[in-house]
Amino acid sequence: MLISSLLVFTALSVSNVFAGQVPIVDGVLGGVPTGASVPGETTREALTIAATTPGKLRVTENSGICETTPGVYQASGYGDLTSTKSIWFWFFAARKNPSTAPVALWFNGGPGSSSMIGLFQEHGPCRINNDTKTVSLNPYSWNNEVNMLYIDQPVGVGFSHGDLDVGTSQAAAADVWSFLQIFFKDSRFSKYQPNDLAIWTESYGGHYGPTFAAHILKQNAAIAAGSVSGLKLNLEVLGIGNGLTDPLSQYPGYIEYAASNPYHALVSSSVINTATNAWSSSSGCKAKITTCYNGGSNSVCSSAQSYCNNYILSPLAGNYDVYYVPTRNPDPYPPAISTYLASIRTAAGAEASYVESNSKVYSNFAATGDWMRNSRPDLETVINAGVRTLIFDGDADYIVNYVGVEAMVDALNTQFTATYKQQPWSTYTVEGQAAGQYKNAGTFSYMRVYGAGHEVPAYKYGKLAYGQAASQMFLQTMSKKPLTST
């Protein structure tokens, strides 16, 4: 998520908001920390670690945590990129036909957020209970028919540990590729390497997803050309929920959504007017993002993030929960996961204390201005390559709202764009219950999900259960089919 929740940032000023995912830096949502510097000299977390095995996995198998369905395999542990960089993963085999099922990677965003959020709050084999100390089996888990691989990245996030030297989405993509090469070379998981591969992500995943997917396609091509050695990965699907991809297209959405959304206005008309001026003035947010896009330096793009979030993103939020606007701050849902993860850390094989949101990782990205760089060209590359792509958004989310996301989708320039724009909206139903609206065009689909906040699979709507609509949407896309009502 655009930095994830509930652990206090040690280096940032953070409000005490339940399930808050964007850091509040000196009172500004998504602000730029003073003194943030681009990663250069290696910064290592203070941690005494076990002996690493560079280029290999260290695994705890069948711990009995979370997935309690009889006979379903799970494994958690580390992929050691180097002697000082270890990425944490948690793998759950599909409950049905795992040997032939596709593999879906899950990444939360931030930048700096743990993918354990998706596992335990959204769509894993179990979900955290309201007591924040126990979990319950999830009947709509995404591993019902898909092998799920949750990855904590960059290093320093979640249970991952080591050198904190990543500050761009492209650098993160290189580490993820290295991890996947280690993972699929391991004898326990090599059998899955030929299977279809998918990337699913959310929030800052609007940057991660396109960048990671484009990097995999590029590496595959280099392997085929003989210029790179490694295992080709059979990337077939990309799914992005509530994603920040193209800030220039998306930031006006904050103004429109704050004024008019399916629930209520978030702020007064005077605040709207002030933000509108901040967007359109000659030295305002639009101009600053445009300069960033046109070859802007790290400092130029970082300055754009600071300005736009100070004068647009942050003030337009009002006093409502920015991840689920029907409620005021603080909203205790989804329940916190840190207490539970501390209780199972040793049994799962984790070496580091759990860090749900790493302030140093966030600062690294803020210093490079990665937030304000445009990931839409990579998304267009992936769509044009024939990768089945789903963009989706919960209509109750402000922080990456559907107004901005739909503007980004409309701005896409792909082989399916003309067809997409001609499509009427269709109602998406699950067992006859309206759950959203959608469009399909070629191998591209978009869906706006009713009643869902920032973490779409964590919510329910109408007569549906928690995560039921998201599960149907996920499985249809994993089957490489257009969205279809049931």
Side-chain angles (χ1 to χ4, degrees), residues 95-419:
R95 290 169 175 169
K96 302 176 186 176
N97 304 316
S99 62
T100 56
V103 176
L105 315 177
W106 175 261
F107 303 98
N108 280 95
S113 299
S114 167
S115 295
M116 301 300 95
I117 296 163
L119 199 172
F120 290 101
Q121 288 185 338
E122 300 185 60
H123 44 64
C126 67
R127 296 180 73 246
I128 190 74
N129 293 322
N130 288 339
D131 65 7
T132 74
K133 298 177 182 178
T134 60
V135 295
S136 295
L137 199 69
N138 179 12
Y140 294 101
S141 174
W142 285 10
N143 81 317
N144 275 338
E145 298 180 32
V146 174
N147 299 299
M148 293 298 301
L149 178 56
Y150 296 85
I151 301 171
D152 273 344
Q153 65 79 45
V155 168
V157 171
F159 287 125
S160 296
H161 58 75
D163 296 342
L164 309 188
D165 57 2
V166 171
T168 67
S169 297
Q170 188 59 52
D175 274 2
V176 167
W177 172 266
S178 296
F179 169 79
L180 293 174
Q181 292 295 301
I182 294 168
F183 182 84
F184 285 114
K185 286 177 183 175
D186 187 276
S187 60
R188 287 160 286 208
F189 306 106
S190 57
K191 61 187 176 184
Y192 300 111
Q193 184 256 331
N195 296 18
D196 286 355
L197 183 72
I199 292 173
W200 288 81
T201 184
E202 70 185 12
S203 197
Y204 205 79
H207 275 48
Y208 286 159
T211 307
F212 293 5
H215 186 75
I216 288 173
L217 294 177
K218 183 178 180 181
Q219 292 294 99
N220 283 348
I223 291 170
S227 58
V228 169
S229 61
L231 298 172
K232 292 180 69 174
L233 303 179
N234 189 25
L235 182 67
E236 293 287 341
V237 172
L238 172 63
I240 303 171
N242 297 73
L244 177 66
T245 298
D246 175 9
L248 189 62
S249 296
Q250 291 181 242
Y251 263 69
Y254 291 114
I255 300 170
E256 182 177 340
Y257 188 92
S260 177
N261 61 68
Y263 303 95
H264 45 236
L266 305 184
V267 292
S268 67
S269 59
S270 63
V271 176
I272 296 290
N273 291 336
T274 300
T276 301
N277 290 334
W279 168 256
S280 58
S281 68
S282 60
S283 59
C285 178
K286 181 180 181 180
K288 291 182 184 297
I289 298 175
T290 300
T291 303
C292 173
Y293 278 23
N294 293 331
S297 65
N298 289 338
S299 62
V300 164
C301 294
S302 183
S303 176
Q305 177 184 342
S306 180
Y307 181 92
C308 295
N309 291 354
N310 189 29
Y311 292 105
I312 295 178
L313 174 63
S314 193
L316 289 175
N319 293 318
Y320 294 97
D321 188 279
V322 294
Y323 316 104
Y324 186 70
V325 299
T327 65
R328 290 184 175 271
N329 286 323
D331 183 0
Y333 184 84
I337 60 175
S338 297
T339 297
Y340 174 75
L341 286 175
S343 72
I344 57 89
R345 177 177 71 89
T346 301
E351 299 165 344
S353 296
Y354 180 68
V355 180
E356 189 161 296
S357 298
N358 190 301
S359 61
K360 176 60 179 174
V361 172
Y362 176 82
S363 296
N364 287 348
F365 277 77
T368 67
D370 192 81
W371 182 299
M372 283 302 184
R373 298 189 187 276
N374 186 11
S375 295
R376 181 161 59 89
D378 278 342
L379 179 57
E380 291 165 345
T381 294
V382 174
I383 294 169
N384 283 331
V387 174
R388 165 64 66 179
T389 302
L390 171 67
I391 307 296
F392 61 98
D393 208 281
D395 73 0
D397 178 40
Y398 163 78
I399 202 69
V400 191
N401 58 76
Y402 73 85
V403 177
V405 171
E406 290 173 11
M408 182 278 293
V409 169
D410 286 341
L412 288 170
N413 182 16
T414 75
Q415 59 179 320
F416 306 123
T417 295
T419 302

